[in-house]
Amino acid sequence: MSTWDEPLRKGPLGGRTAKAFADKLDLHTLGDLLRYYPRRYDRRGELTDLALLREGEDVTVQAKVLDARRRTIPARQGRRRMDMMEATVTDGTGRLHLTFFNRGSHHQNTLVPGRLAMFSGRVSTFKGRRQLDHPEYVLLDDDGTEGEAARAYANELIPVYPAVKGLDSATIARSVGVALDYAVDIPDPLPPELRSDKKLLGVHEALRKIHRPDDWAEVGAAKRRLKWDEAFVLQLVLAQRRRQAEELPAAPRPGADGGILDAFDAQLPFTLTDGQREVGDRLAERLDATHPMHCLLQGDVGAGKTLVALRAMLRVVDSGGQAVMLAPTEVLAQQHHRSIGAMLGALGRAGQIDGAENATRVALLTGSMNTAARREALLDAASGQAGIVVGTHALLQEHVSFADLGLVVVDEQHRFGVEQRDALREKARDGRPHVLVMTATPIPRTVAMTVYGDLDVVALTQLPKGRAPVSTHVVPAHEKPHFLTRAWERIREEVGQGRQAFVVCPRIGDGTDGSGGGEPGDEIDATAEDAPPGARPPLAVLDVLARLKEGPLADVRVEALHGRMAPDDKDAVMRRLSSGQTDVVVSTTVIEVGVDVPNATVMAIMDADRFGISQLHQLRGRVGRGQLPGLCLLVTESEDGSPARERLAAVASTTDGFELSRADLEMRREGDVLGEAQSGARSSLRMLTLVKDEQLIGEAREEATRLVARDPDLTGHPPLTDALTALLPEDRAEYLDKT
């Protein structure tokens, strides 16, 4: 019996061909080759009268050979001698010339005068004659059946594979054909009852129909089956991880009546939204459990994720434990520390004169702190005096310890890898604290099920009452430079009314090479994917700052903010902006998340086409955070009708982050969404599309959950276990942890 992991060199292909597939396409096994699907299908086309042929058309004609002749083209400098055959064919309405290079004797022996055949190729003209160069052809019997055979030949679907130099589509097709014939007994990974219930093809039949379809209906049926393979295997991995997490023991954190959480809720100057209360109850239920919580909290800009996370942390503090909030940048860590301290008030000042009786401490730990402040923070964490510790990667160092770490909150989940999160989890006494990861980028349901499927996903979709609206406009600076002039005027008008503004640039710049540095996420890629060839470098903070100070904002207090600044300097800039001592901050994306300046009402994003939809949505969430309406100006030099302008128009059309996340998914490649592990020829998701296959993914998740509940280790389904390895090997499965 053939197997999915059978090496090509030992199975259907010879060593030389197998090496070519390994070297050029990274295909090593029988399963790799069988799952190297066609990119598209060509059709030879409708039968065409010779009299109606037009140059440049791909045609299929039925004609008889009138004559055939061979000749030799002499060798010339840089070119070898070539054998050539020419033939003339007719269908009674006109004539067509055929040319074949090399193997002339073979074609002359086959295409003899009077022979009927079907010819396919592209029409060209040479010396006033219509011709086909090296056409494909099939011989027909002149027995009255040629009409049926001709139609079948013309309508046949021809698979076209992603090719590389040295392995063209035709060679790949021939090799796949050999593999199909070899793998007639290959084991089917899907359980028979699932195939029957979902009315799915058997795996070999599906592979035959995807590689050698007779019609489009066969292609559709094959795709549906093969999508199930990918979705089901992926959901099995996630279901197994969920089950494993549920079986691990962890200390429950039930909170305490009359504790710090109740006191905090009582002093809130506003009422929690229904969404915040509902999500808080769900988190409380999971914190009460005797196995670790692994939860993803997502929400739109301004939905109150930090407040929800803080209430979960206070519940853990009431239970006698500690909570950690891990942030990707020092700016964000400092912002969280300030905002949590402000929200808690006296409840966060334990040991101080004005501290509440049941207060705790909120410690900050970053890499740039001075020795004394760092020593104090480490002592507060290790002794348990600090119920809440906020920090950056500095929290991950070996000498950082906690008295009883009960909850890890990871902000901006995608900025951290699995190793970093594991390092923090291991600081808990039992190595199994509850984990809450947050993302400020709303996630479409299909991505949540596929990428975060081993986490319990909760979403905040309701914005607090009184939140001011943010209007967004595209500023086409190249087409209408007066629009940019007006943008600077609007900023001056807002500043004149005592408000603040942000100007965001793609990179820092330094007057020479414009290279980056600083903290993770401080700059975006300097070349947009759809930027035209020869486009100028993206605008930089330091350059724009100088221009604004000398030009349109000459009498306005303008400062820079970026990741290469010293942490104390960055913090000082944000404090001056918040207090009104600075009017405008020119910044990189270091202010993308977490920055809260209620008096900031306008943002201009320079070279906005260099940013993605989700990032633009997050950036504009930094304005309009108070009672005043916000304004976001997307400045671009991209052309009207370009993909970049389509992205900007989408952002300007709505402030619904969940709607934008779906638009973002539709506009981007799957690999961009699923991460680097999904790129390349051997991506585990080759057939499944997250936008179109939402229902199928949901069904696969339900079926996988049921199967794992019955058979956690899949011992009763050996072919399925093999498929897990073939479709999602361990090295590529890591993206499930890292995204």
Side-chain angles (χ1 to χ4, degrees), residues 76-128:
R76 295 180 182 174
Q77 186 175 6
R79 190 179 71 181
R80 296 180 300 174
R81 190 183 69 147
M82 285 195 299
D83 181 30
M84 178 180 179
M85 178 202 153
E86 296 176 306
T88 305
V89 299
T90 181
D91 66 349
T93 67
R95 294 189 176 191
L96 182 66
H97 295 273
L98 314 176
T99 58
F100 298 90
F101 296 95
N102 298 323
R103 297 192 67 200
S105 59
H106 166 76
H107 296 299
Q108 189 175 31
N109 292 335
T110 304
L111 297 176
V112 297
R115 192 64 195 261
L116 184 68
M118 296 286 299
F119 302 94
S120 298
R122 178 164 296 180
V123 180
S124 61
T125 303
F126 181 69
K127 294 183 178 180

Side-chain angles (χ1 to χ4, degrees), residues 374-453:
R374 183 177 181 82
R375 184 182 298 114
E376 181 180 359
L378 289 171
L379 182 60
D380 283 347
S383 67
Q385 292 296 312
I388 297 174
V389 181
V390 181
T392 58
H393 295 73
L395 289 169
L396 308 176
Q397 297 176 4
E398 290 184 5
H399 59 275
V400 179
S401 62
F402 300 89
D404 182 13
L405 180 57
L407 173 63
V408 175
V409 179
V410 182
D411 196 13
E412 284 305 281
Q413 155 82 353
H414 64 280
R415 303 271 184 95
F416 297 97
V418 62
E419 298 86 358
Q420 295 166 310
R421 295 203 315 276
D422 283 347
L424 190 52
R425 280 201 296 251
E426 289 170 2
K427 294 182 182 297
R429 286 187 301 194
D430 59 4
R432 290 182 292 273
H434 299 281
V435 177
L436 175 65
V437 295
M438 300 196 299
T439 173
T441 304
I443 303 166
R445 178 171 176 266
T446 48
V447 177
M449 287 191 298
T450 305
V451 181
Y452 300 101

Side-chain angles (χ1 to χ4, degrees), residues 428-701:
R429 286 187 301 194
D430 59 4
R432 290 182 292 273
H434 299 281
V435 177
L436 175 65
V437 295
M438 300 196 299
T439 173
T441 304
I443 303 166
R445 178 171 176 266
T446 48
V447 177
M449 287 191 298
T450 305
V451 181
Y452 300 101
D454 55 342
L455 299 176
D456 182 17
V457 181
V458 293
L460 284 170
T461 58
Q462 182 183 9
L463 295 180
K465 294 180 180 179
R467 175 58 64 91
V470 178
S471 59
T472 306
H473 302 278
V474 178
V475 179
H478 182 69
E479 302 164 27
K480 301 177 180 179
H482 60 285
F483 277 31
L484 182 58
T485 301
R486 176 58 185 149
W488 302 127
E489 291 175 355
R490 283 291 290 116
I491 290 178
R492 292 172 59 87
E493 290 168 5
E494 292 294 308
V495 169
Q497 298 179 59
R499 299 163 191 166
Q500 276 76 45
F502 292 103
V503 177
V504 179
C505 301
R507 62 189 181 101
I508 300 172
D510 60 4
T512 54
D513 63 359
S515 59
E519 297 183 285
D522 193 49
E523 296 192 348
I524 66 166
D525 190 353
T527 55
E529 182 179 306
D530 51 7
R536 63 160 173 75
L539 294 171
V541 167
L542 301 182
D543 298 333
V544 171
L545 177 71
R547 295 177 198 171
L548 293 179
K549 281 186 172 182
E550 296 172 0
L553 302 183
D555 55 348
V556 172
R557 295 171 296 182
V558 186
E559 292 193 67
L561 178 67
H562 55 76
R564 269 192 283 166
M565 296 170 61
D568 288 346
D569 293 339
K570 288 184 286 188
D571 193 41
V573 171
M574 290 306 302
R575 289 181 182 275
R576 287 194 292 271
L577 184 70
S578 298
S579 65
Q581 299 175 59
T582 293
D583 300 316
V584 178
V585 164
V586 183
S587 172
T588 58
T589 57
V590 73
I591 56 111
E592 180 182 349
V593 292
V595 171
D596 189 7
V597 183
N599 199 45
T601 56
V602 60
M603 172 179 288
I605 303 177
M606 311 305 294
D607 282 342
D609 50 282
R610 304 275 179 165
F611 300 84
I613 287 178
S614 296
Q615 195 168 32
L616 291 171
H617 182 56
Q618 295 306 318
L619 285 168
R620 71 172 166 189
R622 301 310 103 202
V623 297
R625 300 182 67 85
Q627 300 299 314
L628 299 169
L631 173 65
C632 179
L633 304 172
L634 307 177
V635 182
T636 179
E637 293 185 2
S638 60
E639 295 183 1
D640 190 20
S642 65
R645 285 288 283 274
E646 289 180 11
R647 289 201 307 273
L648 301 186
V651 175
S653 68
T654 181
T655 56
D656 186 331
F658 287 88
E659 181 180 334
L660 284 174
S661 70
R662 187 169 184 88
D664 194 17
L665 180 57
E666 290 173 348
M667 291 183 184
R668 296 164 66 191
R669 298 189 306 267
E670 297 288 324
D672 294 330
V673 178
L674 295 179
E676 185 179 352
Q678 289 304 316
S679 63
R682 301 183 67 194
S683 164
S684 60
L685 299 190
R686 303 168 188 171
M687 193 68 72
L688 200 67
T689 55
L690 299 183
V691 174
K692 298 178 182 178
D693 298 319
E694 180 174 355
Q695 181 177 346
L696 189 152
I697 293 171
E699 292 179 16
R701 179 182 173 91

